[in-house]
Amino acid sequence: MSLKTGIVGLPNVGKSTLFNALVENSVAQASNFPFCTIEPNFGIVNVPDDRLDVLANISETEKIVPATVEFVDIAGLVKGAADGQGLGNKFLSNIRECDALVHVVRCFEDTDIIHVDGSVDSQRDIAVINFELILSDLSQVERALERTLKTRGKISNAASKIQLYEKLIKVLESGRAVRTLDLSEEENSDLSDLKLLTMKPCIYAANVNEGDLRDEGSKNDQVQKLRETANEESAGVIVVSAQVEAEIMQLDKNERSMFLSDLGLSRSGLESLIRATYAQLGLQTYFTTGKKETRAWTIKRGFTAPQAAGVIHSDFERGFIK
């Protein structure tokens, strides 16, 4: 189960810089002008986990296989993206294929880096992106409702789908994300084909200057406003400095922990981001270990042992013994 996480945000908020830092040896263009990213950039990273090394040492393992996360750097969205502004429709279609969204929000002042709206305002920037995602979802749900009304005689659960779509339209028209609703398992299943953007788990990445990292942005007004919005939306928040992450990746792996310690940090932005993504998606890791291989597997929280075994191979779940 490899995760696919889309990195979104306004132009010039540090998305591509963060992507390049997360995905070592990546080549996403990061420049001081809007839309320097046109095509999405893809990169797969290993999930950092010290427990793998411990198990591998115990088993004297020949090979270690960590869990992985795929990051997708998607071009900056702007006001009007849902109507095609700034190649918006193309960018939005890239997001639909992701399991979760990382919304990078600029929370630092720097006169040398252009902001598309001329000033830094985390709540305004969040609202611009979320409005476009909501508009796109509203269009999706309205089309689904229209199709279901036309063919309801051929669909066994048409009445419940129509009721669900009408409920979603009201929620979206009020400016709320679909993920704020408490949907049943059946409703989630009925909506799975639509791949709604505001239904995806979201983590806000507050991009700050180095000085705000030590106290996790507690003295940064933009970060505090962002946290308030995230709480209302049931979204996660991490505080990260794309520039610092870029510097970390230039260091030898043995020097990175020392660098983080000097900054007063216990883990890198990559580790914080992956932990937040796992928490939002309700995921956890389990391990298999032996002489040939020690491997990390990603499973849903609450999985039974047979279900966890089924992630390795479906036969293991059907023939599970103990």
Side-chain angles (χ1 to χ4, degrees):
M1 187 189 292
S2 182
L3 298 180
K4 191 171 184 179
T5 303
I7 302 177
V8 301
L10 289 171
N12 282 15
V13 295
K15 290 185 300 78
S16 294
T17 302
L18 182 60
F19 173 85
N20 286 338
L22 297 175
V23 184
E24 292 186 71
N25 303 318
S26 58
V27 289
Q29 187 177 356
S31 301
N32 186 22
F33 60 87
F35 307 116
C36 66
T37 302
I38 298 297
E39 294 299 327
N41 299 293
F42 300 88
I44 296 176
V45 300
N46 294 332
V47 175
D49 200 318
D50 294 337
R51 295 171 294 179
L52 274 171
D53 293 326
V54 175
L55 288 170
N57 286 334
I58 292 169
S59 302
E60 297 181 345
T61 297
E62 295 172 9
K63 183 170 73 169
I64 297 176
V65 184
T68 59
V69 174
E70 181 178 6
F71 287 106
V72 186
D73 174 33
I74 295 162
L77 296 168
V78 292
K79 190 173 182 179
D83 296 322
Q85 294 296 319
L87 300 180
N89 286 325
K90 182 179 179 183
F91 299 164
L92 290 168
S93 67
N94 292 326
I95 305 172
R96 291 200 187 281
E97 303 307 315
C98 297
D99 301 304
L101 301 180
V102 174
H103 183 167
V104 181
V105 184
R106 179 171 166 178
C107 295
F108 66 89
E109 298 284 352
D110 190 331
T111 55
D112 292 332
I113 300 177
I114 300 164
H115 190 291
V116 288
D117 288 320
S119 63
V120 175
D121 185 331
S122 60
Q123 286 189 315
R124 179 202 60 208
D125 293 355
I126 288 170
V128 169
I129 299 295
N130 286 348
F131 183 68
E132 297 306 323
L133 301 184
I134 285 169
L135 280 182
S136 182
D137 279 355
L138 183 58
S139 177
Q140 284 275 95
V141 176
E142 286 174 341
R143 287 197 296 269
L145 175 59
E146 188 178 341
R147 288 193 302 270
T148 307
L149 287 170
K150 286 180 180 177
T151 59
R152 57 183 156 188
K154 302 175 184 177
I155 304 173
S156 58
N157 63 338
S160 62
K161 277 193 169 184
I162 290 168
Q163 188 177 14
L164 174 60
Y165 294 152
E166 288 174 342
K167 177 171 74 172
L168 291 191
I169 287 170
K170 287 181 181 178
V171 168
L172 290 165
E173 284 181 338
S174 72
R176 289 168 57 205
V178 175
R179 64 175 168 271
T180 62
L181 291 175
D182 186 15
L183 299 174
S184 68
E185 193 173 321
E186 184 181 351
E187 288 175 323
N188 278 309
S189 178
D190 286 340
L191 294 173
S192 60
D193 289 344
L194 296 184
K195 297 181 179 178
L196 298 177
L197 302 174
T198 65
M199 193 173 175
K200 298 180 186 297
C202 178
I203 298 104
Y204 288 111
N207 188 12
V208 300
N209 285 321
E210 181 181 319
D212 286 323
L213 279 177
R214 191 180 294 270
D215 61 3
E216 295 191 338
S218 61
K219 298 175 184 175
N220 184 314
D221 290 342
Q222 298 298 338
V223 174
Q224 296 314 307
K225 290 177 183 177
L226 186 151
R227 285 195 169 111
E228 290 171 13
T229 301
N231 286 336
E232 293 169 5
E233 296 180 8
S234 303
V237 177
I238 67 162
V239 176
V240 65
S241 170
Q243 192 56 49
V244 168
E245 291 300 313
E247 290 172 16
I248 289 172
M249 287 306 167
Q250 300 301 315
L251 299 173
D252 180 271
K253 289 187 178 180
N254 294 326
E255 297 176 320
R256 292 177 187 176
S257 58
M258 193 182 302
F259 182 78
L260 288 169
S261 179
D262 289 343
L263 291 173
L265 303 176
S266 59
R267 65 179 72 98
S268 69
L270 172 62
E271 291 176 86
S272 298
L273 184 52
I274 289 175
R275 284 181 184 226
T277 304
Y278 270 50
Q280 286 296 107
L281 288 167
L283 300 175
Q284 64 182 24
T285 306
Y286 86 100
F287 307 93
T288 53
T289 185
K291 186 73 175 175
K292 286 188 176 180
E293 176 184 278
T294 294
R295 181 187 289 257
W297 305 85
T298 304
I299 58 173
K300 287 279 188 182
R301 286 192 180 277
F303 264 21
T304 61
Q307 287 175 311
V311 173
I312 301 173
H313 197 290
S314 57
D315 285 351
F316 291 177
E317 183 172 1
R318 285 194 294 269
F320 189 83
I321 299 171
K322 69 175 184 178

